[in-house]
Amino acid sequence: MKKIKKICCIGAGYVGGPTMAVIAKNCPEIDVTVVDINQKRIDLWNHNNLDLLPVYEPGLREIVKETRGGNLFFTTEVDKAIDEAEMIFISVNTPTKTYGKGKGQAADLKFIELCARNIAKVAKTDKIVVEKSTLPVRTAEAVKSILDNTGKGVKFEILSNPEFLAEGTAVDDLLNADRVLIGGDETKSGQEAKDTLSWIYEHWLPKERILQTNVWSSELSKLVANAFLAQRVSSINSISALCEKTDANVAEVSKAIGFDSRIGSKFLNSSVGFGGSCFQKDILNLVYIAKSYGLNEVANYWEQVIIMNDYQKRRFADNIISTLYNTVSDKKICFYGWAFKKDTNDTRESAAIYVADALLEEKAQIVVYDPKVSEETIYADLDYLGTRSPEENRKLLKVINDPMEACNDAHAIAIMTEWDEFKNYDWIAIFELMLKPAFVFDGRRILTKEKMNAIGFKYYKIGQS
Ligand SMILES: NC(=O)c1ccc[n+]([C@@H]2O[C@H](COP(=O)([O-])OP(=O)(O)OC[C@H]3O[C@@H](n4cnc5c(N)ncnc54)[C@H](O)[C@@H]3O)[C@@H](O)[C@H]2O)c1
């Protein structure tokens, strides 16, 4: 097994940044260079003020502070980093296609292909290429074909090493990973490459947690893991609707079923719906792959997870409208939270975007407060939907940096993200500031119904009648 000294990671995003920071911290003898074509992102990774790192994750700034400039580097000099590295991680985005065949379902692999072509163009020495991005099963075949046809006699080993971190707990997930999955060819050189990558992770993880498989099992396992996790959320969310009609309480149902060791207690929290860049995209991709093999029943089964999630977001918005006497026109609705979950500044596919869009269609006046998400991001999320003009979005929705000011004179508050600070607010003072009757719609189930009712709020909690 070959020990390596230089790693390059293409893509300095939510996966590339934290993953490479953790490798750099645990492997001081390896130089880790993270490259990106986005100059602004790289500048922020290199910024003196660590509060401005482009990815917010608890514990990340400390690791970056310790390693940056020592053995962790961020740069836009992509070709140089590829040329010098013995192992190259591809950690670029793989969004759902928005055009052509597979539009709306298949993964857009143009960024991956560009990386492969760039590696093929630049590489002068043998490399191990690691797919860290989430990819459809059999993508490694395409990457290999591009790399093997450079005509320069350079040898490439392609590994699949999907990332299982969750945003908000990325650093902890990386430091204490349940498992690391490494897929590669079952040839002698394939085995050697898998062992080299395993050796990197063995710097801080027990060997038993590092699983080796063939490439296709590894690629598919990542999609399946996300599909199973999202399925649990949609399953409990479907039950939350039933609880609201039957006087059952979804928290009690979750607890009762979660105690069954065959079911387990994790991922059974009902909410306004899952978001994030991965769950929806990866399930749609799974659906597309199943359909492309003619497995329509399999495709329909998994698609239902997305349909249920859309229903939950729509149901939450509809409930706000019907509770506010069937009209939210010109009513001020304060959103606490915009990120798709707490402890991240990532907003991709956040439920807040879709609930806001539905309420803005009814001419509501929305005011958003989120402790980590910028005004620029919030408007970009809404503009991206294209439901109305950017000017109209800015007219109807305002972003305010102070939670008390945000709820002043509001008809209702919608809790969209489970940020811890929301639990500790002075809810009596908030009640005083709001118009009466003062409504709170708790899409994250973080507050106590009895306490909120005692203050005087009309309080709605998902999954409780
Ligand atoms: N975000 C998560 O929680 C998570 C978890 C596990 C897996 N994944 C997967 O990891 C991959 C990356 O996700 P992310 O959230 O880090 O995406 P991201 O959008 O945050 O980052 C991707 C980065 O790649 C850069 N990039 C694109 N093409 C490039 C090129 N040719 N050369 C150099 N840089 C290029 C982009 O500028 C961007 O900064 C995706 O496939 C995703 O599905 C994400």
Short mmCIF file of all heavy atoms in Angstrom, two decimals, residues 57-105:
data_model
loop_
_atom_site.label_atom_id
_atom_site.label_comp_id
_atom_site.label_asym_id
_atom_site.label_seq_id
_atom_site.Cartn_x
_atom_site.Cartn_y
_atom_site.Cartn_z
N GLU A 57 -20.25 25.60 10.23
CA GLU A 57 -20.44 24.31 10.91
C GLU A 57 -19.80 24.42 12.28
O GLU A 57 -18.65 24.89 12.39
CB GLU A 57 -19.72 23.18 10.15
CG GLU A 57 -20.42 22.64 8.93
CD GLU A 57 -21.69 21.87 9.23
OE1 GLU A 57 -21.85 21.35 10.35
OE2 GLU A 57 -22.55 21.79 8.32
N PRO A 58 -20.50 24.00 13.33
CA PRO A 58 -19.87 24.02 14.65
C PRO A 58 -18.53 23.26 14.63
O PRO A 58 -18.46 22.14 14.12
CB PRO A 58 -20.91 23.31 15.54
CG PRO A 58 -22.22 23.55 14.84
CD PRO A 58 -21.91 23.54 13.38
N GLY A 59 -17.49 23.90 15.16
CA GLY A 59 -16.17 23.25 15.27
C GLY A 59 -15.28 23.45 14.06
O GLY A 59 -14.08 23.17 14.11
N LEU A 60 -15.84 23.95 12.95
CA LEU A 60 -15.05 24.03 11.71
C LEU A 60 -14.01 25.15 11.78
O LEU A 60 -12.85 24.97 11.37
CB LEU A 60 -15.98 24.23 10.51
CG LEU A 60 -15.29 24.31 9.15
CD1 LEU A 60 -14.55 23.02 8.82
CD2 LEU A 60 -16.31 24.58 8.03
N ARG A 61 -14.42 26.29 12.31
CA ARG A 61 -13.49 27.44 12.30
C ARG A 61 -12.21 27.10 13.09
O ARG A 61 -11.11 27.47 12.69
CB ARG A 61 -14.16 28.73 12.78
CG ARG A 61 -14.34 28.83 14.28
CD ARG A 61 -15.28 29.93 14.69
NE ARG A 61 -14.85 31.31 14.43
CZ ARG A 61 -13.92 31.97 15.09
NH1 ARG A 61 -13.26 31.38 16.07
NH2 ARG A 61 -13.64 33.22 14.79
N GLU A 62 -12.35 26.35 14.18
CA GLU A 62 -11.19 25.99 15.01
C GLU A 62 -10.21 25.10 14.21
O GLU A 62 -9.00 25.30 14.26
CB GLU A 62 -11.63 25.23 16.27
CG GLU A 62 -12.36 26.08 17.31
CD GLU A 62 -13.80 26.42 16.96
OE1 GLU A 62 -14.35 25.81 16.02
OE2 GLU A 62 -14.39 27.33 17.61
N ILE A 63 -10.78 24.15 13.46
CA ILE A 63 -9.89 23.25 12.69
C ILE A 63 -9.21 24.03 11.56
O ILE A 63 -8.03 23.85 11.29
CB ILE A 63 -10.69 22.05 12.12
CG1 ILE A 63 -11.28 21.23 13.27
CG2 ILE A 63 -9.81 21.17 11.24
CD1 ILE A 63 -12.06 20.00 12.83
N VAL A 64 -9.97 24.90 10.91
CA VAL A 64 -9.38 25.70 9.82
C VAL A 64 -8.28 26.60 10.38
O VAL A 64 -7.20 26.73 9.80
CB VAL A 64 -10.48 26.52 9.09
CG1 VAL A 64 -9.86 27.49 8.11
CG2 VAL A 64 -11.45 25.58 8.36
N LYS A 65 -8.55 27.17 11.55
CA LYS A 65 -7.56 28.05 12.18
C LYS A 65 -6.25 27.28 12.44
O LYS A 65 -5.15 27.79 12.20
CB LYS A 65 -8.12 28.57 13.50
CG LYS A 65 -7.29 29.62 14.16
CD LYS A 65 -7.97 30.18 15.37
CE LYS A 65 -7.03 31.17 16.04
NZ LYS A 65 -7.31 31.34 17.43
N GLU A 66 -6.40 26.04 12.89
CA GLU A 66 -5.24 25.23 13.27
C GLU A 66 -4.43 24.77 12.04
O GLU A 66 -3.21 24.70 12.10
CB GLU A 66 -5.80 24.01 14.02
CG GLU A 66 -4.80 23.03 14.57
CD GLU A 66 -5.52 21.79 15.14
OE1 GLU A 66 -6.66 21.91 15.65
OE2 GLU A 66 -4.92 20.70 15.04
N THR A 67 -5.12 24.47 10.94
CA THR A 67 -4.44 23.80 9.83
C THR A 67 -4.15 24.70 8.61
O THR A 67 -3.21 24.41 7.86
CB THR A 67 -5.30 22.62 9.32
OG1 THR A 67 -6.63 23.10 9.08
CG2 THR A 67 -5.35 21.50 10.34
N ARG A 68 -4.96 25.75 8.45
CA ARG A 68 -4.82 26.56 7.23
C ARG A 68 -3.43 27.20 7.16
O ARG A 68 -2.96 27.77 8.14
CB ARG A 68 -5.91 27.64 7.20
CG ARG A 68 -6.11 28.26 5.85
CD ARG A 68 -7.23 29.27 5.87
NE ARG A 68 -6.95 30.36 6.78
CZ ARG A 68 -7.84 31.30 7.12
NH1 ARG A 68 -9.06 31.26 6.62
NH2 ARG A 68 -7.52 32.26 7.94
N GLY A 69 -2.83 27.08 5.99
CA GLY A 69 -1.49 27.64 5.82
C GLY A 69 -0.41 26.68 6.31
O GLY A 69 0.77 26.86 5.99
N GLY A 70 -0.78 25.68 7.10
CA GLY A 70 0.18 24.66 7.56
C GLY A 70 0.18 23.53 6.55
O GLY A 70 1.08 23.43 5.71
N ASN A 71 -0.89 22.69 6.60
CA ASN A 71 -1.00 21.65 5.57
C ASN A 71 -2.36 21.68 4.88
O ASN A 71 -2.73 20.74 4.19
CB ASN A 71 -0.71 20.26 6.15
CG ASN A 71 -1.79 19.80 7.13
OD1 ASN A 71 -2.42 20.62 7.80
ND2 ASN A 71 -2.00 18.52 7.24
N LEU A 72 -3.12 22.76 5.09
CA LEU A 72 -4.41 22.91 4.40
C LEU A 72 -4.41 24.22 3.61
O LEU A 72 -4.14 25.28 4.16
CB LEU A 72 -5.56 22.94 5.43
CG LEU A 72 -6.96 23.16 4.87
CD1 LEU A 72 -7.40 21.97 4.01
CD2 LEU A 72 -7.98 23.37 6.00
N PHE A 73 -4.70 24.10 2.31
CA PHE A 73 -4.62 25.28 1.45
C PHE A 73 -5.88 25.40 0.59
O PHE A 73 -6.46 24.38 0.18
CB PHE A 73 -3.39 25.17 0.52
CG PHE A 73 -2.13 24.88 1.28
CD1 PHE A 73 -1.69 23.56 1.45
CD2 PHE A 73 -1.40 25.89 1.87
CE1 PHE A 73 -0.55 23.26 2.17
CE2 PHE A 73 -0.25 25.61 2.60
CZ PHE A 73 0.18 24.29 2.76
N PHE A 74 -6.30 26.62 0.35
CA PHE A 74 -7.46 26.88 -0.53
C PHE A 74 -6.98 27.76 -1.68
O PHE A 74 -6.35 28.80 -1.45
CB PHE A 74 -8.56 27.60 0.25
CG PHE A 74 -9.15 26.77 1.35
CD1 PHE A 74 -8.67 26.86 2.66
CD2 PHE A 74 -10.19 25.88 1.08
CE1 PHE A 74 -9.21 26.07 3.68
CE2 PHE A 74 -10.73 25.10 2.10
CZ PHE A 74 -10.24 25.20 3.39
N THR A 75 -7.28 27.36 -2.90
CA THR A 75 -6.77 28.11 -4.05
C THR A 75 -7.66 27.91 -5.28
O THR A 75 -8.41 26.92 -5.36
CB THR A 75 -5.31 27.69 -4.38
OG1 THR A 75 -4.92 28.31 -5.60
CG2 THR A 75 -5.19 26.19 -4.54
N THR A 76 -7.53 28.83 -6.24
CA THR A 76 -8.22 28.64 -7.52
C THR A 76 -7.26 28.08 -8.58
O THR A 76 -7.63 27.92 -9.74
CB THR A 76 -8.80 29.99 -8.04
OG1 THR A 76 -7.77 30.96 -7.98
CG2 THR A 76 -10.00 30.43 -7.25
N GLU A 77 -6.04 27.81 -8.15
CA GLU A 77 -5.06 27.25 -9.11
C GLU A 77 -5.31 25.74 -9.27
O GLU A 77 -4.55 24.90 -8.75
CB GLU A 77 -3.65 27.51 -8.62
CG GLU A 77 -3.22 28.96 -8.81
CD GLU A 77 -1.76 29.14 -8.46
OE1 GLU A 77 -0.92 28.81 -9.32
OE2 GLU A 77 -1.47 29.57 -7.35
N VAL A 78 -6.37 25.44 -10.00
CA VAL A 78 -6.85 24.06 -10.11
C VAL A 78 -5.81 23.15 -10.76
O VAL A 78 -5.46 22.09 -10.23
CB VAL A 78 -8.18 24.03 -10.91
CG1 VAL A 78 -8.70 22.62 -11.04
CG2 VAL A 78 -9.23 24.94 -10.27
N ASP A 79 -5.28 23.58 -11.90
CA ASP A 79 -4.38 22.70 -12.67
C ASP A 79 -3.12 22.35 -11.88
O ASP A 79 -2.67 21.20 -11.88
CB ASP A 79 -3.97 23.37 -14.00
CG ASP A 79 -5.17 23.45 -14.95
OD1 ASP A 79 -6.27 23.04 -14.53
OD2 ASP A 79 -4.99 23.94 -16.08
N LYS A 80 -2.57 23.34 -11.20
CA LYS A 80 -1.32 23.12 -10.44
C LYS A 80 -1.58 22.07 -9.34
O LYS A 80 -0.80 21.14 -9.15
CB LYS A 80 -0.88 24.45 -9.83
CG LYS A 80 0.40 24.38 -9.04
CD LYS A 80 0.90 25.80 -8.74
CE LYS A 80 2.20 25.79 -7.94
NZ LYS A 80 2.01 25.67 -6.52
N ALA A 81 -2.71 22.23 -8.66
CA ALA A 81 -3.01 21.30 -7.56
C ALA A 81 -3.24 19.88 -8.08
O ALA A 81 -2.80 18.90 -7.49
CB ALA A 81 -4.23 21.80 -6.78
N ILE A 82 -3.92 19.78 -9.23
CA ILE A 82 -4.16 18.45 -9.82
C ILE A 82 -2.82 17.81 -10.20
O ILE A 82 -2.55 16.65 -9.89
CB ILE A 82 -5.06 18.56 -11.08
CG1 ILE A 82 -6.48 18.97 -10.69
CG2 ILE A 82 -5.06 17.25 -11.87
CD1 ILE A 82 -7.41 19.21 -11.88
N ASP A 83 -1.98 18.61 -10.82
CA ASP A 83 -0.69 18.11 -11.30
C ASP A 83 0.14 17.54 -10.15
O ASP A 83 0.75 16.48 -10.26
CB ASP A 83 0.03 19.28 -12.00
CG ASP A 83 1.38 18.87 -12.54
OD1 ASP A 83 1.53 17.69 -12.90
OD2 ASP A 83 2.29 19.73 -12.60
N GLU A 84 0.13 18.26 -9.03
CA GLU A 84 1.02 17.87 -7.92
C GLU A 84 0.48 16.73 -7.06
O GLU A 84 1.23 16.06 -6.36
CB GLU A 84 1.27 19.10 -7.02
CG GLU A 84 2.14 20.15 -7.71
CD GLU A 84 2.30 21.41 -6.88
OE1 GLU A 84 1.64 21.52 -5.82
OE2 GLU A 84 3.07 22.28 -7.31
N ALA A 85 -0.84 16.51 -7.10
CA ALA A 85 -1.44 15.56 -6.16
C ALA A 85 -1.29 14.11 -6.59
O ALA A 85 -1.30 13.81 -7.78
CB ALA A 85 -2.91 15.89 -5.98
N GLU A 86 -1.22 13.23 -5.59
CA GLU A 86 -1.23 11.79 -5.90
C GLU A 86 -2.65 11.24 -5.82
O GLU A 86 -2.99 10.24 -6.43
CB GLU A 86 -0.36 11.03 -4.90
CG GLU A 86 1.10 11.40 -4.97
CD GLU A 86 1.72 11.43 -3.59
OE1 GLU A 86 1.55 12.45 -2.87
OE2 GLU A 86 2.36 10.45 -3.21
N MET A 87 -3.46 11.94 -5.02
CA MET A 87 -4.86 11.52 -4.89
C MET A 87 -5.74 12.75 -5.07
O MET A 87 -5.48 13.80 -4.49
CB MET A 87 -5.09 10.91 -3.49
CG MET A 87 -6.50 10.46 -3.25
SD MET A 87 -6.68 9.71 -1.60
CE MET A 87 -6.20 8.03 -1.90
N ILE A 88 -6.79 12.61 -5.92
CA ILE A 88 -7.67 13.76 -6.21
C ILE A 88 -9.10 13.40 -5.83
O ILE A 88 -9.67 12.43 -6.35
CB ILE A 88 -7.61 14.13 -7.71
CG1 ILE A 88 -6.17 14.48 -8.10
CG2 ILE A 88 -8.55 15.28 -8.02
CD1 ILE A 88 -5.94 14.47 -9.59
N PHE A 89 -9.65 14.15 -4.91
CA PHE A 89 -11.07 13.97 -4.56
C PHE A 89 -11.91 14.88 -5.47
O PHE A 89 -11.57 16.05 -5.65
CB PHE A 89 -11.34 14.39 -3.11
CG PHE A 89 -10.81 13.42 -2.09
CD1 PHE A 89 -9.46 13.43 -1.75
CD2 PHE A 89 -11.65 12.52 -1.47
CE1 PHE A 89 -8.95 12.54 -0.80
CE2 PHE A 89 -11.16 11.62 -0.52
CZ PHE A 89 -9.81 11.63 -0.19
N ILE A 90 -12.99 14.34 -6.01
CA ILE A 90 -13.94 15.18 -6.75
C ILE A 90 -15.14 15.41 -5.84
O ILE A 90 -15.83 14.47 -5.45
CB ILE A 90 -14.39 14.53 -8.06
CG1 ILE A 90 -13.18 14.21 -8.95
CG2 ILE A 90 -15.38 15.43 -8.80
CD1 ILE A 90 -13.55 13.59 -10.30
N SER A 91 -15.33 16.67 -5.48
CA SER A 91 -16.35 17.00 -4.48
C SER A 91 -17.23 18.14 -4.99
O SER A 91 -17.60 19.02 -4.23
CB SER A 91 -15.60 17.41 -3.21
OG SER A 91 -16.40 17.20 -2.12
N VAL A 92 -17.50 18.09 -6.28
CA VAL A 92 -18.28 19.18 -6.88
C VAL A 92 -19.78 18.88 -6.78
O VAL A 92 -20.17 17.77 -6.45
CB VAL A 92 -17.87 19.43 -8.36
CG1 VAL A 92 -16.41 19.82 -8.45
CG2 VAL A 92 -18.15 18.20 -9.21
N ASN A 93 -20.57 19.88 -7.07
CA ASN A 93 -22.02 19.73 -6.96
C ASN A 93 -22.59 18.85 -8.07
O ASN A 93 -22.08 18.86 -9.20
CB ASN A 93 -22.70 21.10 -6.92
CG ASN A 93 -22.04 22.12 -7.82
OD1 ASN A 93 -20.83 22.06 -8.07
ND2 ASN A 93 -22.82 23.02 -8.35
N THR A 94 -23.63 18.12 -7.74
CA THR A 94 -24.29 17.23 -8.72
C THR A 94 -25.80 17.49 -8.65
O THR A 94 -26.55 16.63 -8.19
CB THR A 94 -24.00 15.76 -8.39
OG1 THR A 94 -24.23 15.54 -6.98
CG2 THR A 94 -22.58 15.37 -8.70
N PRO A 95 -26.22 18.69 -9.05
CA PRO A 95 -27.64 19.04 -8.86
C PRO A 95 -28.56 18.26 -9.80
O PRO A 95 -28.08 17.58 -10.72
CB PRO A 95 -27.67 20.53 -9.24
CG PRO A 95 -26.53 20.71 -10.18
CD PRO A 95 -25.48 19.72 -9.75
N THR A 96 -29.86 18.37 -9.55
CA THR A 96 -30.83 17.76 -10.45
C THR A 96 -30.80 18.51 -11.78
O THR A 96 -30.70 19.74 -11.81
CB THR A 96 -32.24 17.85 -9.82
OG1 THR A 96 -32.18 17.27 -8.52
CG2 THR A 96 -33.28 17.13 -10.65
N LYS A 97 -30.91 17.77 -12.86
CA LYS A 97 -30.88 18.41 -14.20
C LYS A 97 -32.06 19.36 -14.38
O LYS A 97 -33.18 19.03 -13.98
CB LYS A 97 -30.95 17.34 -15.30
CG LYS A 97 -29.62 16.90 -15.82
CD LYS A 97 -29.78 15.96 -17.00
CE LYS A 97 -29.61 16.69 -18.32
NZ LYS A 97 -29.59 15.74 -19.47
N THR A 98 -31.81 20.51 -14.97
CA THR A 98 -32.90 21.46 -15.20
C THR A 98 -33.20 21.60 -16.69
O THR A 98 -33.88 22.52 -17.11
CB THR A 98 -32.53 22.86 -14.64
OG1 THR A 98 -31.26 23.21 -15.18
CG2 THR A 98 -32.47 22.87 -13.13
N TYR A 99 -32.65 20.70 -17.49
CA TYR A 99 -32.84 20.78 -18.94
C TYR A 99 -32.73 19.38 -19.55
O TYR A 99 -32.21 18.46 -18.90
CB TYR A 99 -31.75 21.69 -19.56
CG TYR A 99 -30.36 21.23 -19.21
CD1 TYR A 99 -29.68 20.32 -20.01
CD2 TYR A 99 -29.74 21.64 -18.02
CE1 TYR A 99 -28.43 19.85 -19.67
CE2 TYR A 99 -28.49 21.17 -17.67
CZ TYR A 99 -27.83 20.28 -18.49
OH TYR A 99 -26.60 19.80 -18.13
N GLY A 100 -33.24 19.25 -20.76
CA GLY A 100 -33.01 18.04 -21.56
C GLY A 100 -33.54 16.75 -20.96
O GLY A 100 -34.43 16.75 -20.12
N LYS A 101 -32.94 15.64 -21.41
CA LYS A 101 -33.38 14.31 -20.98
C LYS A 101 -33.13 14.14 -19.47
O LYS A 101 -32.06 14.45 -18.97
CB LYS A 101 -32.56 13.27 -21.77
CG LYS A 101 -33.10 11.88 -21.67
CD LYS A 101 -32.52 10.99 -22.77
CE LYS A 101 -33.01 9.57 -22.59
NZ LYS A 101 -32.06 8.71 -21.94
N GLY A 102 -34.16 13.68 -18.79
CA GLY A 102 -34.01 13.47 -17.34
C GLY A 102 -34.23 14.74 -16.54
O GLY A 102 -34.02 14.77 -15.33
N LYS A 103 -34.65 15.83 -17.21
CA LYS A 103 -34.91 17.11 -16.54
C LYS A 103 -35.80 16.90 -15.31
O LYS A 103 -36.81 16.21 -15.39
CB LYS A 103 -35.61 18.04 -17.55
CG LYS A 103 -36.02 19.38 -17.00
CD LYS A 103 -36.72 20.19 -18.08
CE LYS A 103 -37.32 21.44 -17.44
NZ LYS A 103 -38.02 22.28 -18.36
N GLY A 104 -35.41 17.49 -14.20
CA GLY A 104 -36.23 17.39 -12.99
C GLY A 104 -35.99 16.14 -12.18
O GLY A 104 -36.51 16.01 -11.07
N GLN A 105 -35.20 15.18 -12.69
CA GLN A 105 -34.95 13.95 -11.93
C GLN A 105 -33.48 13.51 -11.95
O GLN A 105 -32.90 13.30 -10.89
CB GLN A 105 -35.82 12.81 -12.48
CG GLN A 105 -37.27 12.94 -12.05
CD GLN A 105 -38.07 11.67 -12.28
OE1 GLN A 105 -37.77 10.91 -13.19
NE2 GLN A 105 -39.07 11.46 -11.46
#
